[in-house]
Amino acid sequence: MQPIVRIAENLGLSDEALELYGKFKAKIDFTKIPERTSPGKVVLVTAISPTSAGEGKSTVTVGLSDALKRMGQSVVVALREPSLGPVMGVKGGATGGGYSQVLPMEEINLHFNGDLHAITTANNALSAFIDNHLHQGNELNIDPRRITWKRVLDMNDRSLRNIIVGLGGPSHGITREDGFDITVASEIMAVLCLAKNLEDLKERLSRIVIGYTYENEPVNVRSLGVEGALTLLLKEAIKPNLVQTIEGTPSIIHGGPFANIAHGCNSIIATKTAMNLADIVITEAGFGADLGAEKFMHIKSRQANIIPSSVVIVATVRALKLQGGKHKNELKDEDVEALLEGTKNLMKHVETIRAFGVEPVVALNKFITDSEQEIHTLLNWCKENNISIALTDVWAKGGAGGEDLAKLVLSELDKPSNFSPLYELADSIEQKVRTIVQKVYGGKEVVFTENALKQIRQIEDYGWDSLPICMAKTQYSLSDQPKLIGRPTDFTITVREIIPKLGAGFLVCLTGDIMTMPGLPKKPAALNMDVDNDGQAIGLF
Amino acid sequence: MQPIVRIAENLGLSDEALELYGKFKAKIDFTKIPERTSPGKVVLVTAISPTSAGEGKSTVTVGLSDALKRMGQSVVVALREPSLGPVMGVKGGATGGGYSQVLPMEEINLHFNGDLHAITTANNALSAFIDNHLHQGNELNIDPRRITWKRVLDMNDRSLRNIIVGLGGPSHGITREDGFDITVASEIMAVLCLAKNLEDLKERLSRIVIGYTYENEPVNVRSLGVEGALTLLLKEAIKPNLVQTIEGTPSIIHGGPFANIAHGCNSIIATKTAMNLADIVITEAGFGADLGAEKFMHIKSRQANIIPSSVVIVATVRALKLQGGKHKNELKDEDVEALLEGTKNLMKHVETIRAFGVEPVVALNKFITDSEQEIHTLLNWCKENNISIALTDVWAKGGAGGEDLAKLVLSELDKPSNFSPLYELADSIEQKVRTIVQKVYGGKEVVFTENALKQIRQIEDYGWDSLPICMAKTQYSLSDQPKLIGRPTDFTITVREIIPKLGAGFLVCLTGDIMTMPGLPKKPAALNMDVDNDGQAIGLF
């Protein structure tokens, strides 16, 4: 690792804009960075419908940026920051893989400059202010049964999903049902990631709806008068973090909202900062193109005028075989037929990106279990179907394994952008959802439950219906049924509930049970974790 | 403020040992600091029985260190770090006051290098592992009704004191009663503050008892196998933090356990680090000498061989009048008679420190409401009673207002130390408590409830009875009755419950209702907090 001051120097970051956190991490005071007249171009990395293990999207994002740097380009990679809960639970680290990782992995995976802790604190301070308000006389007439604001912890903790608080008698608050989500599911995480600056952050925080009165009128943070305190708690967390890849490419890691009940991209501030520091910015969006990329285009791009000049769709032989009907326990076995069947899923994601006016590049991210035959089959299939594709071997080779992909991306960056969103904000809620279902998922129709329709009418009454849609849907299928693989066509999507997120500025449409607080497995990854007497982490990976 | 690298340079800290957190804060890698053959001498700052507003103990601690620095001494001040909960609730900042403060106040009062967040995370990870263990088959046969480990948040949140977790059906954990304490009440805070190094930290964490089986056998962290993961979560938090006073005196701020259910001092690592960096270390202990100082002597000194060479007892005219019977709303009014009556309380604390073999110095910490007459009365009374006393005016004048005190302290440091604890660890639990009650509180006897006696027998059965005692008692009286002011003599103390803290290594004796999760007032301090568009905090003080 190079000292982070060196990375910053190479980026042209002034001393004034750099706040060191140890020797290998820093925060960037983005207000001290001059705006470029021609900001860097943005490359968005997305994926086909993924397996539960993921397709190495972060790994490709890092490897592609390292490849571009090797080729002499001015490049910064912008990524989401990992949540501690899953790190302790299932999988260890989440900072890319192999030779395409960001460093220092331990710190990034553990407390990383305190951003998630600050969000947890602000979220739970708001909860404490709400319950204190109830306890101290409830001037705002908040209905304890209608409080929608939940507490959060950055932990996988199923026992906190459904709880009762305020037990123990009159000195100990008002008894009511409550629950904890994981921190990355907090609306404050989405708010932080969509805010343009501290002022905008405060404005967004003040708009957050925490529940409703007994008369069913919305109650927001402004009416509680605590938006200043919440902003104060987030004043450092709003600054993006600077680290580096194994190959020394500058990496800005900041924010990590869920890609189902939120929009799944790193912060706007991080992307904008990167665009003011380099010619090319490589960034990613969560899950497949039906979720992360769609939200990037309709929520993040629109709010911040960040237009992707190129889109990379990460595919793997494993995921294609899964989408072609292969059982998830047999993905290591060669199966060209399943692979070819699975290309239907890839084709849909390619068409989706094209529908936004961008010509995508496919990255076939190599796993050691892939057969030569499978790889060649996919490469040929793409050529036959006029789809740009490059094989990436960035896990094993770092940037050197991403140069073919980098060349394709560079040639796309030279072309003029034809980006346009698929729906207008002025469309009705039903119409916006219908557009996503038909044009992005390839489905036939949307069904709104009676409950959802009632909520839509109420949202219209409150005047919130011109917000963009944030679909909460399974990532495993283009439909809302996880097992409906490949490219289903004749399906309907059922919207069961609509949750307005006024601070983030979108309407979450729930299409199934979305888990907002994961649980730990029987043998959590934590059992293998330790630290040696020199303070070095053991068992994080 | 000077850049923290300059403060570090002046201290002789190597680059290797310094980890910057922004421009004005750092962490110290204490393993990289050579041990002095003659370590710095320790000055402990304690107080008489305090008012609810506090007597400015931290202010005097800071001012004394600044005074010593002005006089050319090599000095470091070691302090506890503030909890965010009270900052949001009642009083704003907690970093000293006036011209005797540590900087940067905003950062120290908000997230300060993440230590408390790391403790919160480790504490709640343990809770998640416990509930996951129950959910996944409960191999250890833990009785959910006998789990003593609680969750924590660094927040004043009364609604979380008594909760039910694990509702919602079989996928959502085992239903049981639980509750949240404030983070500073976590045993992990006490563990961090008493650990000598990372290895000792892990060993202590592994000993923590989280509850009991259905057969009433204790279950510790080691049996859950997560001490490595918890240590990993604390590997940065174990490093003490370096900041500075307004006058540029190096300040090491680290850890802040409660002074009732825990021992109320900054970390041993911080004090030891300071002792290896300067000739004189000024440090403090929570509440009055009956609580913080007693625990410093019997718990911290004993565990770490840190002997106070001098003890300062902070007194104020206000607190003396309160102890002399004046109503708390009339403390601004001159009342020499009440003041003189209140000296009985001061005298008891002086005698207590003398009983430990140390000759105390009294600091009369000046408030603007004090009358000349009151001040002179106390100065004379001390002279007549052969008690060293100096008037300090550090709030208004910084170090210049503490030079008289500094001279008295310096003369004490030249004298040989006669320190000895008042009880032996081998004494029975009853005898140890009796010694504290009689020799420190000046009471007549101890009464153990039937429940407490049962617990003592059980603690003896488990072989834990040779641990030191950590009394949880009101700070407002030498007795266990807050309203029994002055120097009561003929009182008994009732011990209701004994909580073994195997990780910290002490037995908490509860003598009344001790609040381990505060609540917010009707108008929390947070309502006045904000941040301007330059990122500067508003309303923290």
Side-chain angles (χ1 to χ4, degrees):
Chain A
M1 266 191 288
Q2 300 175 41
I4 199 69
V5 287
R6 178 113 51 92
I7 301 283
E9 242 173 60
N10 295 344
L11 262 183
L13 262 180
S14 67
D15 264 12
E16 205 194 359
L18 194 72
E19 297 174 5
L20 299 178
Y21 277 62
K23 294 175 173 66
F24 302 106
K25 301 177 297 166
K27 275 196 170 282
I28 300 174
D29 183 350
F30 59 96
T31 64
K32 302 279 166 35
I33 297 175
E35 270 194 38
R36 282 196 183 195
T37 45
S38 76
K41 288 184 174 176
V42 173
V43 179
L44 175 66
V45 179
T46 179
I48 64 168
S49 301
T51 65
S52 59
E55 305 330 300
K57 203 165 44 198
S58 300
T59 309
V60 170
T61 306
V62 169
L64 172 58
S65 69
D66 285 340
L68 287 163
K69 178 165 165 277
R70 279 167 181 257
M71 292 158 73
Q73 298 290 329
S74 143
V75 61
V76 168
V77 56
L79 294 170
R80 291 169 294 166
E81 52 190 309
S83 167
L84 193 59
V87 169
M88 287 286 134
V90 189
K91 58 173 179 175
T95 50
Y99 284 92
S100 289
Q101 294 202 31
V102 279
L103 303 176
M105 324 178 216
E106 293 86 351
E107 312 308 321
I108 297 170
N109 278 306
L110 291 173
H111 306 288
F112 198 34
N113 300 359
D115 296 347
L116 267 73
H117 292 321
I119 292 168
T120 304
T121 303
N123 185 105
N124 294 339
L126 180 51
S127 292
F129 297 138
I130 294 167
D131 276 311
N132 190 53
H133 185 89
L134 295 180
H135 178 77
Q136 305 277 5
N138 197 11
E139 264 177 50
L140 293 172
N141 203 27
I142 300 168
D143 185 345
R145 303 162 306 178
R146 288 189 169 111
I147 293 172
T148 50
W149 190 256
K150 291 168 78 179
R151 291 175 161 92
V152 300
L153 280 181
D154 190 17
M155 195 62 62
N156 284 16
D157 196 344
R158 69 171 67 72
S159 291
L160 291 178
R161 283 176 196 152
N162 305 290
I163 67 173
I164 294 174
V165 301
L167 296 166
S171 324
H172 307 296
I174 303 291
T175 306
R176 65 179 184 91
E177 289 183 47
D178 194 12
F180 278 76
D181 287 336
I182 192 164
T183 299
V184 290
S186 169
E187 185 175 352
I188 293 184
M189 171 60 93
V191 162
L192 186 91
C193 287
L194 290 167
K196 290 172 190 69
N197 50 44
L198 214 45
E199 205 180 341
D200 185 33
L201 178 73
K202 186 159 76 185
E203 175 57 30
R204 286 172 180 273
L205 290 169
S206 72
R207 287 199 303 254
I208 289 175
V209 171
I210 60 93
Y212 299 82
T213 66
Y214 283 102
E215 289 76 40
N216 216 16
E217 289 302 313
V219 178
N220 62 23
V221 167
R222 184 178 284 119
S223 60
L224 285 164
V226 295
E227 68 273 19
L230 300 187
T231 310
L232 179 60
L233 287 168
L234 296 167
K235 80 186 180 69
E236 301 305 311
I238 200 179
K239 299 173 184 168
N241 308 289
L242 180 66
V243 291
Q244 62 189 291
T245 70
I246 289 183
E247 300 191 8
T249 304
S251 310
I252 297 181
I253 303 195
H254 194 223
F258 261 25
N260 41 47
I261 60 143
H263 64 291
C265 321
N266 63 256
S267 77
I268 282 178
I269 289 174
T271 307
K272 288 269 187 188
T273 300
M275 290 164 72
N276 282 321
L277 290 170
D279 297 341
I280 304 174
V281 177
I282 316 290
T283 190
E284 58 168 351
F287 298 145
D290 51 331
L291 285 165
E294 182 269 316
K295 293 173 186 182
F296 188 99
M297 307 300 200
H298 282 136
I299 298 173
K300 181 168 172 172
S301 293
R302 196 140 35 185
Q303 294 206 13
N305 200 26
I306 293 171
I307 308 299
S309 301
S310 168
V311 173
V312 173
I313 302 175
V314 176
T316 60
V317 166
R318 293 161 42 85
L320 287 164
K321 286 189 288 195
L322 186 76
Q323 288 297 322
K326 193 97 178 153
H327 191 274
K328 64 177 179 176
N329 295 335
E330 296 168 355
L331 296 180
K332 289 175 181 171
D333 306 340
E334 185 182 88
D335 190 337
V336 172
E337 203 178 324
L339 175 84
L340 274 171
E341 183 64 23
T343 57
K344 291 178 183 167
N345 181 273
L346 170 58
M347 183 55 102
K348 177 67 195 91
H349 291 295
V350 167
E351 289 173 15
T352 298
I353 299 302
R354 284 176 177 161
F356 283 100
V358 184
E359 182 58 33
V361 174
V362 174
L364 176 55
N365 187 31
K366 195 175 166 184
F367 276 61
I368 43 168
T369 48
D370 300 350
S371 79
E372 285 298 309
Q373 173 79 11
E374 289 171 325
I375 290 171
H376 282 126
T377 303
L378 187 72
L379 295 177
N380 285 335
W381 178 87
C382 278
K383 263 168 220 158
E384 282 163 18
N385 287 278
N386 289 317
I387 298 169
S388 278
I389 184 169
L391 183 65
T392 59
D393 195 9
V394 292
W395 194 93
K397 297 181 181 163
E403 293 194 7
D404 288 348
L405 175 63
K407 281 173 204 158
L408 293 182
V409 165
L410 281 176
S411 76
E412 289 304 320
L413 290 183
D414 288 337
K415 298 175 190 164
S417 174
N418 282 315
F419 173 78
S420 73
L422 301 180
Y423 64 77
E424 296 303 317
L425 294 177
D427 295 346
S428 71
I429 295 174
E430 287 99 324
Q431 184 52 46
K432 285 184 272 204
V433 177
R434 193 176 297 117
T435 302
I436 293 170
V437 168
Q438 292 174 345
K439 296 198 182 166
V440 177
Y441 305 163
K444 209 174 66 181
E445 221 355 302
V446 197
V447 174
F448 293 90
T449 63
E450 213 162 307
N451 178 47
L453 285 172
K454 202 177 126 198
Q455 290 170 323
I456 289 175
R457 296 295 89 83
Q458 188 137 67
I459 287 168
E460 288 169 344
D461 282 351
Y462 296 141
W464 302 335
D465 51 317
S466 63
L467 293 172
I469 302 297
C470 181
M471 296 294 287
K473 179 182 77 66
T474 175
Q475 70 265 38
Y476 297 119
S477 168
L478 286 160
S479 76
D480 59 2
Q481 299 153 62
K483 305 224 153 125
L484 203 53
I485 51 164
R487 181 180 185 164
T489 48
D490 205 30
F491 63 91
T492 57
I493 291 269
T494 306
V495 173
R496 303 179 188 190
E497 191 181 349
I498 301 182
I499 306 168
K501 301 278 187 184
L502 276 283
F506 51 62
L507 305 171
V508 176
C509 294
L510 291 184
T511 66
D513 288 333
I514 300 294
M515 178 65 66
T516 51
M517 173 52 100
L520 290 167
K522 183 149 189 178
K523 302 274 176 205
L527 291 176
N528 302 314
M529 291 181 189
D530 206 343
V531 51
D532 68 20
N533 290 337
D534 294 330
Q536 297 302 306
I538 297 170
L540 259 185
F541 310 99
Chain B
M1 268 190 288
Q2 300 175 42
I4 198 69
V5 287
R6 177 113 53 91
I7 301 284
E9 242 172 60
N10 294 344
L11 263 182
L13 262 180
S14 67
D15 265 11
E16 204 193 2
L18 194 72
E19 297 175 5
L20 298 178
Y21 277 62
K23 293 174 173 67
F24 301 106
K25 299 176 299 163
K27 276 198 170 280
I28 300 175
D29 183 350
F30 58 96
T31 64
K32 301 278 165 38
I33 296 175
E35 270 195 37
R36 283 196 182 194
T37 45
S38 76
K41 288 183 174 176
V42 173
V43 179
L44 175 66
V45 179
T46 179
I48 64 167
S49 300
T51 65
S52 59
E55 306 328 301
K57 203 164 47 198
S58 300
T59 309
V60 170
T61 307
V62 169
L64 172 59
S65 69
D66 285 340
L68 287 163
K69 177 164 165 279
R70 279 167 181 258
M71 292 158 73
Q73 298 291 330
S74 142
V75 60
V76 168
V77 55
L79 295 169
R80 291 169 294 166
E81 53 190 308
S83 166
L84 193 59
V87 168
M88 287 286 133
V90 189
K91 59 172 180 175
T95 49
Y99 283 92
S100 289
Q101 295 202 31
V102 279
L103 303 175
M105 324 177 217
E106 293 85 352
E107 312 309 321
I108 297 170
N109 277 307
L110 291 174
H111 306 289
F112 199 32
N113 299 358
D115 296 347
L116 267 73
H117 292 322
I119 292 169
T120 303
T121 304
N123 186 106
N124 295 339
L126 179 51
S127 292
F129 297 139
I130 294 167
D131 275 312
N132 189 52
H133 185 89
L134 295 179
H135 177 79
Q136 304 278 4
N138 197 10
E139 264 177 49
L140 293 171
N141 203 28
I142 299 168
D143 184 345
R145 302 163 307 177
R146 288 188 169 113
I147 292 172
T148 51
W149 190 255
K150 290 168 81 179
R151 290 174 162 91
V152 299
L153 280 181
D154 190 16
M155 194 62 62
N156 284 16
D157 197 343
R158 70 171 66 73
S159 291
L160 291 177
R161 285 176 195 151
N162 305 290
I163 66 172
I164 294 173
V165 301
L167 295 165
S171 323
H172 307 297
I174 303 291
T175 306
R176 65 178 183 91
E177 289 182 47
D178 194 13
F180 278 77
D181 288 335
I182 192 164
T183 299
V184 290
S186 169
E187 185 175 354
I188 293 184
M189 172 58 93
V191 161
L192 187 91
C193 287
L194 290 167
K196 290 172 191 68
N197 50 44
L198 213 45
E199 205 180 342
D200 185 32
L201 178 73
K202 187 159 74 186
E203 174 57 29
R204 285 171 182 272
L205 289 169
S206 71
R207 288 199 302 254
I208 289 175
V209 171
I210 59 94
Y212 298 82
T213 65
Y214 283 101
E215 289 78 38
N216 216 15
E217 289 302 314
V219 178
N220 61 24
V221 167
R222 184 178 283 118
S223 62
L224 286 164
V226 295
E227 67 274 18
L230 300 188
T231 310
L232 179 61
L233 287 168
L234 296 168
K235 80 186 180 69
E236 301 304 312
I238 199 178
K239 299 173 185 168
N241 307 289
L242 180 66
V243 290
Q244 62 190 292
T245 70
I246 288 184
E247 300 192 7
T249 305
S251 311
I252 297 182
I253 303 196
H254 194 223
F258 261 27
N260 40 48
I261 60 141
H263 64 292
C265 320
N266 63 257
S267 77
I268 282 178
I269 288 173
T271 308
K272 288 268 187 189
T273 300
M275 290 163 72
N276 283 321
L277 290 170
D279 297 342
I280 304 175
V281 177
I282 317 289
T283 189
E284 58 167 351
F287 298 143
D290 51 330
L291 284 165
E294 183 271 315
K295 293 172 185 181
F296 188 99
M297 306 300 199
H298 282 136
I299 297 173
K300 182 169 173 173
S301 293
R302 195 139 39 184
Q303 293 204 14
N305 199 29
I306 294 171
I307 307 299
S309 301
S310 167
V311 173
V312 173
I313 301 176
V314 177
T316 60
V317 166
R318 292 161 44 84
L320 286 164
K321 286 189 287 195
L322 187 76
Q323 289 297 322
K326 193 96 179 153
H327 190 274
K328 64 177 179 174
N329 295 336
E330 297 169 354
L331 296 180
K332 289 176 180 170
D333 307 338
E334 185 182 87
D335 190 337
V336 172
E337 203 178 324
L339 175 85
L340 275 171
E341 183 63 24
T343 57
K344 292 178 182 166
N345 181 272
L346 170 58
M347 184 53 103
K348 177 66 195 95
H349 291 295
V350 167
E351 289 173 14
T352 298
I353 299 302
R354 285 177 178 162
F356 282 101
V358 183
E359 181 57 33
V361 173
V362 174
L364 175 56
N365 187 32
K366 195 175 167 184
F367 276 61
I368 44 169
T369 48
D370 301 350
S371 79
E372 285 297 309
Q373 173 78 9
E374 289 172 324
I375 290 172
H376 282 125
T377 303
L378 187 71
L379 295 177
N380 285 335
W381 179 87
C382 279
K383 263 167 218 157
E384 283 163 17
N385 288 278
N386 289 316
I387 298 168
S388 281
I389 184 168
L391 183 66
T392 59
D393 194 9
V394 292
W395 194 92
K397 298 181 181 163
E403 293 194 6
D404 289 347
L405 175 64
K407 280 173 204 158
L408 293 182
V409 165
L410 281 176
S411 77
E412 290 303 321
L413 290 182
D414 287 338
K415 298 175 189 164
S417 174
N418 281 317
F419 174 78
S420 73
L422 301 180
Y423 64 76
E424 296 303 317
L425 294 177
D427 296 345
S428 71
I429 294 174
E430 287 98 324
Q431 183 53 46
K432 284 185 273 203
V433 178
R434 192 175 298 118
T435 301
I436 294 170
V437 168
Q438 293 174 344
K439 296 199 182 167
V440 177
Y441 305 163
K444 209 174 68 182
E445 220 356 301
V446 197
V447 175
F448 294 91
T449 62
E450 213 163 307
N451 178 48
L453 286 171
K454 201 177 127 198
Q455 290 169 324
I456 289 176
R457 296 295 87 83
Q458 188 138 66
I459 287 167
E460 288 169 344
D461 282 352
Y462 295 142
W464 301 337
D465 51 319
S466 63
L467 292 172
I469 302 298
C470 181
M471 296 294 287
K473 180 182 75 67
T474 176
Q475 70 266 37
Y476 298 118
S477 168
L478 286 159
S479 76
D480 57 2
Q481 298 153 63
K483 305 224 152 125
L484 203 52
I485 50 165
R487 182 180 185 164
T489 49
D490 204 31
F491 63 90
T492 57
I493 291 269
T494 306
V495 173
R496 304 180 187 189
E497 192 181 347
I498 300 182
I499 307 167
K501 300 279 187 182
L502 276 282
F506 52 61
L507 305 170
V508 176
C509 293
L510 291 184
T511 66
D513 286 334
I514 299 295
M515 178 64 66
T516 50
M517 173 54 99
L520 289 167
K522 183 149 189 177
K523 302 275 177 205
L527 291 176
N528 302 315
M529 292 181 189
D530 205 344
V531 52
D532 68 20
N533 290 337
D534 293 329
Q536 297 302 306
I538 296 170
L540 258 186
F541 310 99

